[in-house]
Each structure stands twice: as structure tokens, then as C-alpha cells.
Amino acid sequence: MKMTEKDKRVFETAQQARIHTPLCLLVLILTLGIAMTSVAAPKKMATSQPENCALCHGKEKALPAGHNDIKKMNYEGCKKCHIDTLRLGGKLPGGHIHQLSGVSCEKCHGKVKKQTEVPMKQCVTCHNPEKLKEKTAKVKPENPHTSPHYGTGLDCNACHRQHGKSENFCAQCHKFNFVVP
Amino acid sequence: MSEDEKKPKNPSRRAFLKSTGGAAAIAGIALGGLAVNPKETAAALNPMPKKWDETYDVVIIGSGFAGLAAAIEAKNAGATVTVIEKMFVHGGNSIINGGDFSAAGTKMQKEAGIQDSADIMYNDMMKTGLYLNHPGLAKTVAEQSNSALEWCQSLGARFAKVGFHGGHSVKRAHQTINASGSEVVNKLFDKVNALGIKVQTRTKLVRFVSDKGGRIVGIEVRTGYKFPDEKSGKTAYIKARKAVVLTSGGFSQDLALRQIEDPRLTDKFGSTNQPGATGEALLAACMAGAMDLQMDWIQLGPWTSPDEKGFGHVPLFCERLVGYGPMINPKTGKRFFKETGNRKERADAIILIGNPVIIMGDSYAVPKQVFPNALQKGMEAGAIKKFDTLEDLAKNYNIPFEAFTAEIAKWNSFVEKKKDADLDCMIFQDAKPTVTPPFYAARLWPKVHHTMGGLVIDNNAQVMGFDLKPVKGLYAAGEVSGGVHGAVRLGGVAMADCIVFGRIAGKNAAKEKSQI
């Protein structure tokens, strides 16, 4: 499993603690605590449904305390509250937004026993690259859906992740502060 | 096969360095007269896989200019071909390059009234390269630069105009219509796809597989690799019936390797390169018996800006202005180095000053010379600034105003005479004194740009080994090879080098006898 930034920090702290023995126990407890929460990572269930958090997340609370009941809710329903600073784009994994919009796992992955990565040609059956380019034409400092390097042909997966945090691929070389949904 | 051999070794940098040390030691033994052939030893250390997952005549590593050119030529010569690329996308550094293709004696030069020849280009390359260039390689690039340019044009790549780069004696940098190497890469890529060549991205070379005689017969890769996670992906083996062509680029982003070769190049210096420009494929070739040369000649671009990331827009601003506008040290208000000097001279001069310097131009030179999009984007990023007066400019960069205005007046007198009595900057015939407001300026601080050293190749792109004999079945082209540029690569000659030697490597790889 890949170390998260948080894990790394704890790990580095633990390394230093070898010298500072009195800190050792505290750090150990912290490390264990984090290790235990990371065990409870959600399962990817082919049968998942948007309103059934527990199916994938188990006993872990997926929604914050006091969150509205999301039974029978779709993405349009979420957006009634999630506007402005509360907006979900870029925070909620893309797979959830797909689910909430009625796009089930198998609509992209197909009816298969073992689900594999979804190639771009599947994405473009719904998301037309030329239309996306028009839609984001006014985004500053650059239109994220076209570039002198790849035109509209850059693989969607370069930035957009469905089961993890999306990535600002352009930021490898550019100072573009895109919020990537 | 022992348990150890079955498991793919994690190709960590430490392991690589250890093994290269090992390879060098083996080479040492060989030169010491013991009957040990380094390539045979390499073969012994690199076991043959039990089965090959895929088989092609020619396997190409890297999908930049050189790799794609090699793929097209190998396929056109009748070979079955695949291209592997470790990154998520094709194109490597080539797809982010500035799109300047240096070529001599071209149709575009003739139309622009520029007198040039392969000999003049060769002499420029050698002079700037401090005559450390391997003459045969430099000559090959100069002589075939025009046909390489025409070949790209025949595949649909469009070039807009011929510009100048420091160190050349004439204008010979043919700029693509979008001022990016992507114009060429994507036309080559379209051709590769049209020819049905499989390009496998996220597929990383782990090691070369040699037979008992030391011939390269295939490669071990990791498929589904996610840069830079060395544990990602699955092991697979690809057989090359005829040859492997290595076009994996340079190592400007490889902090560890570049500091071994040039300890000054710490993380204080950024790089213009894409993050995947690391040296593990080059080192893997060394471990399979290939020899390296001139690895410590690492070029810094003197035209990059500390006010934007990576290559950015300022290089396209700066290089179009040299010979039209002055370069100023803001501490003194004075010029400090020949603006049209080569990359190494200029980068060294800026590093010696120790702080960023200024390149500037007026409203005659800038609109005439600078690609409009580069100017606009550079200004939006805040890396290029516009000033109504010289006083505003001086104030912004804390330049002592009196010394500065005196220096500008002196520069303008040189421009009138077309002769720089102070620093011998080449002043172009159509240059005019820097007097027309508004004025444009940008700060410059060098970034690691190109690694001149690399694998030893002959004029046929055949890689040579530590025994000074060919490493059979292995060709290399582009930045991973060494010797073409000597100490300093001239601007725009990387494109020429990659296309010329990529094509040569592809053709010769396809000509090899099939090892079934």
C-alpha cells in the first residue's frame, strides 16, 4: 500500500523518536491509530448503490454527523445544498458522482467478473472531448480540456480518478491551479 | 532458476547504482586482461525469461521524436514494431519542446535569403561543442538535417518561420506553427497509429535481456506502471527478434544521477524537462554492456525564468530578442555577456553573477520577434512584464537608473552601427535601437535542460560496449546517446539529432537478421 502524506509524516516522526525515547510510546500509539483507520478503506462493490454507504464503507461513517438522509437522493439532490464552498466537485471521488447520476459500475466497467481500468474510449461515449473543450473554454489561466501538446486527445484518466483523488496533471510543469473534479 | 532469479528485482536507484558500479568493476577486470567479456557477464547476471509475453522484430523504448521516427522507419522497412513508454502519455520531452528544428540548406532558408550549408552547421556544432563532438555523428546530423526536416513536413508537420539561436552563425531554427514540438510529435504519432504500430504507455523498462553472447534479445518491463511508484505494475517480457532501439531521452530530472556527474546541479536548479526525464534506462543499458561517454556535460538553459514553472514562456521571449535587445545585470544596470553567446557561456555567466538577470526589448522588437501567444501567456503568468518607461522598468527590478540609461544609450549606438564594441553580440540587420515604449522585460535564471552525454553510438546508431565492440541488437538515438553535441548542444539541434538518428536507428534495426 502506498504511504499517504500523513503516514509519511508519522513514519518520519517515528524515525526521529528513536533518538527521543520518551516520545516513542506516544508516537507508537499515534501510528497504530492511523494504521487501524487505514485498514477500513472502502471496498469496491460492483453492486454498490448510492444510498447504501455501508455496502462499501462498512461500519465506518461515510457521511458527517447530522447529514441529511440521502436515501433516494441523486446528484441533483446533493447539489441543492452543495453549492459554493460546499461543492462536491474535486472532493467526492468521481465514482460517487457517477453513481449518484445514475451511472452504475457496470455501465463503464461492463458486465465482467474482474473489473479493470476503464479506457478513455469508454469515457468519450458520454463525454465528447470537443464539447468539453467548449464547456471549459473560459477557465483561467488555460482551458484544461485542450492544449498545444495533446489537443483534445489527452487521456481523461490523466487527471480524473473515479476511485481516488483526482490529479492536476498540467501542474507537473505549469502553474495552473485547476480544481479537478 | 533460483527463487531469487524468478522474482523481478525492485529497480531502486540504489540497486542501479550498485550494479553499475559492478558493471564498471567487471569492465575493469576485462580491460585488465582477464578473459571476462562484460557483455557475457551481463548476460549471466540477467537470466533469460521462461516465456516471452510479446514478440516483435523491433522493440522501441521511448515515444519522443527519436522513438517515433525509429518506429515509422522500422515499420516501413517491413519489421513488426512496438513502442513502449513509461509515462502516462506519449511524447516525452519532445511534446513539450519549443518546436525549433535546426536544419541547414533548406527551402525555407533559401526563400528567406539565408545562405547556409551542412558544412557551416557542422562547424557551428563543433565550435560550440568545444570540438568534443564525435565528428562523424555531428556531420551526420548536419548533413541529414534538411532531409529530416523535409521528412517531417512530408508527414504533415508545418513550420512557420526560420529564427536564430545563440551560437549559430545564421538563422536556421525552423519553428513549428504552434511553437511546440507537439506539432512534429503528433504528426509522427498519427503516422505510427496509421501504420498499426502498438504504442504501450505506462510500460517501463526494467532491464535488457541478453543471450549468452551478449546480444540484446529483449527486455523485461513493468506494464501498468504508474510513475513514479516503482512498485506499481506487473512484470512482462518482450522479445525483440531483430533489435531493441533505446530512445529514452536524457536525465535532467534525475537529481541523483546528475549530481554524480555534476555535483553543482543540486535541487537549487529546476529543470525544463518533464518529470520522467530520469536516467534508469540509460543505466540499464550500461548494465547490459553498453558504454557511456561525456556524462558530466549537462546543459543549463540560460533563458528560463524563475517566475514560472518548467520551460515556461520566457525562453521563447528571450531567444527571439537576443541580437535585438540587451541583457542587463540589475545589480549594476549594465550588460554583462554577449547576448547571442551559446547556452553554456550564458548560463555560466548568470550563475557567476549569482542572481537573476533581465532580458528586455521595446515595442519595435517584441511584436516583430516574439510569438504572440508566448508573449501573452508569459505576461499572464507574470513572468514577462510591460513598462511604459525605462524608469518604471528600472524601478521594478531595482536597477540603478543612471548607469542603466547610460548603458541603453551605449547599446543603441552599437545597434546603429550593427557592431557591439563591448561584448561582440551579433546584432541583426533589421534590429533598431531600444527606444520605443512600452518596454517588455523578463528575469532569467538557468534551469537544467539537456544532458549531452549518453551511450556511445557509431554513425549507424549502433550502441558500442565496454569492450569497444558493438552491443549487438541494441541501437540508440536522441538524448540517451552521447557524442553528437560535445560540450554544448546548440539550440534546435536536438530535434535534428532525434529525427536524423531516430530514422537511422529504425532502418538499421529493421535490417538486422531475425534471431528466432
Side-chain angles (χ1 to χ4, degrees):
Chain A
M1 186 185 284
K2 212 180 150 186
M3 263 193 179
T4 65
E5 277 310 305
K6 207 169 174 184
D7 289 340
K8 267 188 207 159
R9 278 200 301 276
V10 171
F11 177 75
E12 281 158 11
T13 322
Q15 296 280 305
Q16 288 161 9
R18 282 190 193 159
I19 311 162
H20 307 289
T21 343
L23 278 174
C24 207
L25 192 66
L26 178 68
V27 169
L28 189 68
I29 292 165
L30 271 173
T31 315
L32 277 176
I34 286 157
M36 276 162 74
T37 52
S38 64
V39 167
K43 284 183 236 164
K44 286 178 201 161
M45 305 291 290
T47 52
S48 67
Q49 296 143 5
E51 66 266 35
N52 189 351
C53 306
L55 194 63
C56 301
H57 288 273
K59 281 180 192 162
E60 187 200 346
K61 277 255 178 280
L63 291 168
H67 192 280
N68 284 353
D69 186 5
I70 60 159
K71 222 165 215 163
K72 301 263 180 316
M73 199 181 274
N74 59 18
Y75 190 46
E76 288 307 310
C78 305
K79 284 203 284 190
K80 291 229 162 81
C81 297
H82 286 281
I83 47 170
D84 298 329
T85 51
L86 260 182
R87 64 193 285 271
L88 290 171
K91 290 170 192 154
L92 196 64
H96 287 61
I97 293 175
H98 274 124
Q99 276 279 354
L100 287 160
S101 308
V103 181
S104 65
C105 307
E106 64 186 31
K107 276 197 180 148
C108 299
H109 288 281
K111 275 188 186 169
V112 285
K113 236 183 191 169
K114 194 165 180 272
Q115 294 182 336
T116 52
E117 285 180 37
V118 176
M120 176 179 177
K121 64 173 194 250
Q122 181 63 36
C123 311
V124 300
T125 59
C126 294
H127 305 280
N128 178 306
E130 285 304 321
K131 288 210 174 118
L132 278 170
K133 176 183 160 185
E134 282 169 34
K135 201 177 156 190
T136 56
K138 286 186 183 145
V139 172
K140 292 286 164 194
E142 294 287 344
N143 185 346
H145 288 123
T146 185
S147 73
H149 315 298
Y150 315 103
T152 55
L154 180 62
D155 195 322
C156 312
N157 295 295
C159 297
H160 301 286
R161 303 285 145 69
Q162 303 310 306
H163 305 295
K165 202 168 166 19
S166 288
E167 183 188 329
N168 182 359
F169 186 78
C170 306
Q172 288 184 129
C173 305
H174 297 280
K175 224 182 196 167
F176 301 161
N177 301 318
F178 298 139
V179 176
V180 188
Chain B
M1 196 183 264
S2 77
E3 214 38 52
D4 209 8
E5 284 169 340
K6 267 187 234 159
K7 272 194 185 164
K9 284 189 187 116
N10 176 20
S12 72
R13 170 120 17 251
R14 186 166 294 176
F16 264 121
L17 294 181
K18 257 193 211 163
S19 324
T20 11
I26 292 159
I29 294 167
L31 291 171
L34 288 174
V36 178
N37 177 329
K39 281 173 252 166
E40 284 172 13
T41 318
L45 293 169
N46 291 310
M48 199 65 78
K50 276 190 180 153
K51 81 177 222 316
W52 296 99
D53 297 282
E54 293 175 37
T55 299
Y56 302 88
D57 292 332
V58 176
V59 176
I60 292 162
I61 300 157
S63 63
F65 295 130
L68 297 175
I72 294 167
E73 291 291 16
K75 180 76 184 182
N76 283 341
T80 60
V81 180
T82 192
V83 177
I84 69 156
E85 165 60 54
K86 77 173 171 186
M87 300 304 278
F88 196 90
V89 287
H90 71 277
N93 273 337
S94 305
I95 211 163
I96 62 168
N97 114 328
D100 278 336
F101 191 134
S102 286
T106 69
K107 199 173 155 225
M108 282 175 72
Q109 282 181 315
K110 279 173 201 140
E111 282 165 3
I114 301 160
Q115 298 253 334
D116 197 10
S117 70
D119 281 346
I120 304 174
M121 179 168 168
Y122 169 76
N123 287 333
D124 286 347
M125 288 171 69
M126 296 301 288
K127 188 180 168 201
T128 297
L130 303 178
Y131 299 92
L132 292 175
N133 325 50
H134 286 215
L137 299 179
K139 195 155 258 176
T140 303
V141 169
E143 280 173 355
Q144 297 187 25
S145 59
N146 183 31
S147 57
L149 181 79
E150 286 177 354
W151 185 72
C152 292
Q153 286 170 320
S154 77
L155 293 171
R158 292 157 297 169
F159 296 84
K161 58 177 182 178
V162 189
F164 177 79
H165 268 283
H168 289 276
S169 53
V170 297
K171 289 188 179 181
R172 66 163 72 95
H174 299 69
Q175 188 172 54
T176 56
I177 49 151
N178 64 351
S180 169
S182 61
E183 169 68 9
V184 173
V185 168
N186 287 329
K187 294 292 159 30
L188 300 184
F189 193 61
D190 288 347
K191 183 68 181 177
V192 160
N193 287 323
L195 289 170
I197 297 166
K198 189 172 164 193
V199 178
Q200 314 189 43
T201 53
R202 285 174 53 191
T203 301
K204 188 188 185 191
L205 171 80
V206 174
R207 66 176 175 98
F208 291 90
V209 179
S210 322
D211 69 11
K212 278 188 186 138
R215 185 189 176 91
I216 306 298
V217 293
I219 54 175
E220 179 184 326
V221 298
R222 287 185 84 76
T223 60
Y225 169 74
K226 286 183 186 162
F227 176 86
D229 179 3
E230 293 309 323
K231 289 195 184 106
S232 60
K234 275 193 215 150
T235 297
Y237 295 93
I238 307 176
K239 181 173 176 175
R241 275 189 295 245
K242 292 185 170 183
V244 174
V245 180
L246 183 60
T247 61
S248 55
F251 56 92
S252 287
Q253 287 279 19
D254 198 323
L255 264 170
L257 181 54
R258 82 183 195 205
Q259 283 180 89
I260 287 171
E261 301 296 346
D262 184 343
R264 296 173 303 166
L265 302 182
T266 61
D267 56 4
K268 215 172 80 183
F269 293 92
S271 172
T272 60
N273 287 204
Q274 56 104 0
T278 50
E280 72 282 350
L282 191 163
L283 295 178
C286 292
M287 281 185 258
M291 189 175 180
D292 57 345
L293 63 80
Q294 297 171 350
M295 290 281 283
D296 52 352
W297 283 104
I298 298 174
Q299 177 175 90
L300 290 101
W303 20 244
T304 43
S305 160
D307 303 318
E308 57 183 354
K309 276 176 105 168
F311 188 78
H313 304 288
V314 171
L316 299 173
F317 174 78
C318 178
E319 281 312 85
R320 294 290 78 77
L321 282 182
V322 295
Y324 291 92
M327 196 159 70
I328 301 285
N329 176 3
K331 285 263 168 73
T332 60
K334 292 187 172 169
R335 293 172 63 224
F336 61 96
F337 199 79
K338 176 180 173 174
E339 285 82 353
T340 49
N342 75 45
R343 293 174 171 187
K344 176 157 181 59
E345 297 166 339
R346 285 162 58 192
D348 285 349
I350 301 170
I351 294 168
L352 196 66
I353 284 175
N355 54 262
V357 299
I358 311 295
I359 178 79
M360 58 177 285
D362 69 355
S363 284
Y364 164 73
V366 172
K368 178 179 155 336
Q369 283 298 110
V370 182
F371 190 64
N373 191 50
L375 180 64
Q376 190 201 331
K377 298 296 178 196
M379 287 180 65
E380 280 171 14
I384 301 171
K385 290 190 158 77
K386 190 162 97 174
F387 303 96
D388 288 334
T389 63
L390 287 176
E391 199 170 1
D392 288 350
L393 190 153
K395 208 176 271 170
N396 183 73
Y397 297 110
N398 282 323
I399 306 173
F401 187 59
E402 270 179 38
F404 177 57
T405 43
E407 190 71 1
I408 296 293
K410 195 151 92 171
W411 162 259
N412 287 343
S413 74
F414 294 154
V415 175
E416 296 279 9
K417 288 179 233 147
K418 300 284 178 283
K419 174 90 188 139
D420 170 12
D422 280 354
L423 301 168
D424 196 29
C425 172
M426 182 194 292
I427 295 169
F428 292 103
Q429 282 309 312
D430 54 350
K432 286 186 185 174
T434 303
V435 290
T436 316
F439 302 94
Y440 297 82
R443 300 202 304 157
L444 305 174
W445 181 248
K447 292 181 187 174
V448 182
H449 187 60
H450 189 96
T451 50
M452 271 73 64
L455 299 179
V456 182
I457 56 169
D458 69 8
N459 294 353
N460 298 314
Q462 165 71 60
V463 173
M464 306 302 286
F466 282 109
D467 55 1
L468 310 184
K469 288 178 189 154
V471 179
K472 291 201 174 105
L474 184 61
Y475 291 84
E479 198 177 346
V480 75
S481 70
V484 171
H485 310 288
V488 179
R489 173 175 71 76
L490 280 172
V493 183
M495 280 181 89
D497 172 21
C498 290
I499 301 288
V500 166
F501 272 107
R503 295 181 69 195
I504 291 172
K507 283 179 196 166
N508 288 333
K511 268 190 222 155
E512 288 275 336
K513 214 176 133 213
S514 186
Q515 316 278 313
I516 299 169

